[in-house]
Amino acid sequence: MDHMIPAWIDGTLVPLDKLEVHRRGLKHKAVSVFVLHGDAVLLQRRALCKYHTPGLWANTCCTHPHWDESAEACVTRRLRQELGITGLTQDHRGQVEYRADVGGGMIEHEVVEIFVSRVATPPVLQPDPNEVMDTAWMPREKLDRAIAENPDSFTPWLRIYLSDHAEQIFDQP
């Protein structure tokens, strides 16, 4: 069941193989996390072995919950697995839906639960090299400029989040 994720077929949520979901462009559940320190956001550069968007910069953590896993549990699990981060307080910022071509004949059509963690001190990172090839703390203004200058270095979903949902993510509640 490790690669089975919750996806909708004819309006019913069912467990389906992750690759099949992306090849068929089916709407599915996801989570996205933004860890913020001051005005900077923690970015990760996706490992080159990832099945889509390898080598592109993304937000701190973005993944799919297992079939029987809550969004909150998924966030905790994947922050630890991908970046070695534990113990953060997660602020749920609501839901976003988007659809984007991610290359290689795959489509992300996600219903995403957005979480934000504000940290006073940047956490010690221990990236899993099978998931993450690099990390960076980038101030919002610099990130917006970098995306404008070189959009193909960033994942489609990060570009969508910043262009369409920045207030939901970055404004203080």
Side-chain angles (χ1 to χ4, degrees), residues 25-103:
L26 297 173
K27 183 165 72 170
H28 57 281
K29 287 188 174 188
V31 299
S32 255
V33 184
F34 290 79
V35 175
L36 307 176
H37 173 62
D39 71 341
V41 59
L42 177 58
L43 302 177
Q44 67 158 276
R45 189 169 176 212
R46 293 168 60 82
L48 293 178
C49 58
K50 298 293 278 184
Y51 69 100
H52 73 62
T53 56
L56 297 189
W57 287 94
N59 50 295
T60 310
C61 182
C62 34
T63 191
H64 310 100
H66 293 316
W67 168 247
D68 58 352
E69 184 178 40
S70 72
E72 292 79 7
C74 178
V75 166
T76 299
R77 174 177 61 84
R78 290 306 287 172
L79 279 173
R80 181 178 39 77
Q81 289 174 340
E82 290 184 18
L83 294 162
I85 298 174
T86 59
L88 297 187
T89 300
Q90 298 298 332
D91 176 18
H92 185 240
R93 293 292 178 90
Q95 202 175 73
V96 164
E97 183 174 341
Y98 78 91
R99 185 178 172 94
D101 186 329
V102 292

